[in-house]
Amino acid sequence: MFNNLKSKMQVATQMAKEKMGKADQSVESEDVRSVKTNLKTIKKGYKQINHSGKAYVSESEKLAMTTNELGDALLSLGSGILTSTSLGSGLHTLGTQLKTMSSVTQNYNAATNTNLVGPIGKLLDVDIKRASDIKKRQEMARLRYDSAISSVKSHKGGKAEEELEIARQSYEQTTRELNEALTLILAEIGNTLMVELKSWANSQAQYYREMSELWTQVENQLAPLPTSASVTTTTTVLNAYVPQPTPTYETTYINQPVYTTQHTQQPTAATYHETSTYSQPGYQSTQSEYVHTESVQGTNQHVSLEKSFQQQVNLEKTTEQRPIEPTM
């Protein structure tokens, strides 16, 4: 564990010195640096192709969807009132061909994935990634090797010499692995990339030929149709709105109390008797009696009132109303 920590500290120290310009990569040859540069260039190029290829397929998919939607819109407009007109025929022709073009675009998008994007992504995710991992390990071995060389120069003999030999062997081993990884990538590119590019180019040429044929068919089908098409429609005049009178309704209340009043004038000139009857369906009737008496004496008029209020409910002297009991 102590040796591992010491090795990491030596690597960090050597890296910091190189960034500040206080140390050089003394052990790295131009050939090894060229291998690293070539690997970096290949990785960057493949990442760009992979990213752009996916974007190309995505945009083509959007174009196919938009073309299909446009075809549906033209077919919808050409139906109904325009069905039997030359304009409706032209809309139907163009809408149908656009939907066919959308289908063709989707098919060739699949070919782009198969012939270009897929193989590029596979090489990037497998072989180039493996080479990148080896490159990182080789760079760490190089830093340890340069650090060991600096240590031997300041502390000659003994353990420093042993650490230098171990660092040298690790550096040489990782450098060989890096060379082999780059050779494998270049062989893979030489054997497959050109084949993939040719296959994709052929599919694209075939795609545009088919699209050109479809547009030529549209042009030929639209050519006989008149440039100016008249469209006749039938207009229905709606009757003017005439407001209707508001209906009236007669409201009838059921089982409501009924009041009747009877006035009786007695033979005397100033005496009146008033009898009121209260009745409600299902209840006994209630009678009320009001007596009004007036008398006149001399030139002055004197009015005296006498009131009496009596209630009779079902032969009982009470103020409550009780339902009529059904007779059996």
Side-chain angles (χ1 to χ4, degrees), residues 187-256:
E188 182 69 19
I189 292 175
N191 294 331
T192 61
L193 183 58
M194 183 55 66
V195 175
E196 294 157 359
L197 291 176
K198 286 182 177 181
S199 178
W200 181 63
N202 291 336
S203 67
Q204 290 297 294
Q206 181 63 27
Y207 165 71
Y208 284 104
R209 278 194 293 268
E210 290 190 26
M211 295 294 284
S212 178
E213 292 175 0
L214 290 173
W215 279 114
T216 301
Q217 292 176 9
V218 172
E219 183 182 23
N220 293 336
Q221 292 173 359
L222 294 180
L225 300 179
T227 303
S228 177
S230 59
V231 179
T232 59
T233 60
T234 302
T235 304
T236 301
V237 179
L238 301 179
N239 294 328
Y241 171 74
V242 178
Q244 300 297 322
T246 304
T248 58
Y249 302 93
E250 181 178 355
T251 304
T252 303
Y253 298 94
I254 302 175
N255 294 335
Q256 295 298 316

Side-chain angles (χ1 to χ4, degrees), residues 50-71:
N50 187 58
H51 175 76
S52 300
K54 290 180 178 179
Y56 179 88
V57 173
S58 177
E59 291 300 322
S60 296
E61 287 290 342
K62 292 179 182 179
L63 176 62
M65 293 177 60
T66 305
T67 303
N68 186 70
E69 292 173 357
L70 179 58

Side-chain angles (χ1 to χ4, degrees), residues 1 29 70 154 228 232 276 316:
M1 180 177 180
S29 65
L70 179 58
S154 57
S228 177
T232 59
S276 298
E316 293 183 5

Side-chain angles (χ1 to χ4, degrees), residues 281-301:
Y283 293 84
Q284 291 285 358
S285 299
T286 301
Q287 291 185 349
S288 301
E289 183 177 359
Y290 174 77
V291 180
H292 178 81
T293 303
E294 297 180 359
S295 61
V296 180
Q297 295 179 358
T299 59
N300 295 324
Q301 187 178 28

Side-chain angles (χ1 to χ4, degrees), residues 97-110:
Q97 290 294 72
L98 285 176
K99 292 180 70 67
T100 303
M101 293 176 188
S102 173
S103 178
V104 172
T105 301
Q106 290 178 342
N107 292 336
Y108 280 96
N109 280 341

Side-chain angles (χ1 to χ4, degrees), residues 24-199:
D24 297 327
Q25 301 180 12
S26 58
V27 300
E28 197 87 298
S29 65
E30 289 296 329
D31 291 339
V32 176
R33 292 177 184 177
S34 177
V35 169
K36 291 182 177 180
T37 301
N38 293 336
L39 180 60
K40 182 179 180 180
T41 302
I42 292 173
K43 181 179 179 180
K44 181 180 179 180
Y46 263 70
K47 287 183 68 175
Q48 291 176 341
I49 295 173
N50 187 58
H51 175 76
S52 300
K54 290 180 178 179
Y56 179 88
V57 173
S58 177
E59 291 300 322
S60 296
E61 287 290 342
K62 292 179 182 179
L63 176 62
M65 293 177 60
T66 305
T67 303
N68 186 70
E69 292 173 357
L70 179 58
D72 287 335
L74 293 175
L75 289 173
S76 177
L77 181 61
S79 61
I81 194 173
L82 299 177
T83 301
S84 59
T85 66
S86 58
L87 178 58
S89 177
L91 289 170
H92 183 272
T93 297
L94 185 55
T96 302
Q97 290 294 72
L98 285 176
K99 292 180 70 67
T100 303
M101 293 176 188
S102 173
S103 178
V104 172
T105 301
Q106 290 178 342
N107 292 336
Y108 280 96
N109 280 341
T112 299
N113 270 321
T114 302
N115 299 327
L116 183 66
V117 178
I120 292 292
K122 181 180 179 181
L123 185 65
L124 183 64
D125 295 337
V126 179
D127 295 333
I128 295 180
K129 185 178 183 303
R130 174 177 171 272
S132 296
D133 293 339
I134 295 174
K135 179 177 175 292
K136 292 179 181 178
R137 290 192 292 109
Q138 191 272 348
E139 182 63 16
M140 296 296 291
R142 198 272 307 167
L143 289 169
R144 282 193 295 269
Y145 190 17
D146 273 330
S147 177
I149 292 175
S150 299
S151 179
V152 167
K153 289 180 180 179
S154 57
H155 303 86
K156 295 182 179 181
K159 195 172 182 179
E161 295 287 345
E162 295 178 2
E163 292 178 353
L164 176 62
E165 181 62 21
I166 294 173
R168 183 186 64 80
Q169 293 178 2
S170 176
Y171 170 74
E172 291 178 353
Q173 176 64 27
T174 54
T175 301
R176 284 194 296 271
E177 293 177 3
L178 182 61
N179 281 322
E180 292 173 359
L182 180 60
T183 301
L184 179 63
I185 290 173
L186 292 174
E188 182 69 19
I189 292 175
N191 294 331
T192 61
L193 183 58
M194 183 55 66
V195 175
E196 294 157 359
L197 291 176
K198 286 182 177 181
S199 178

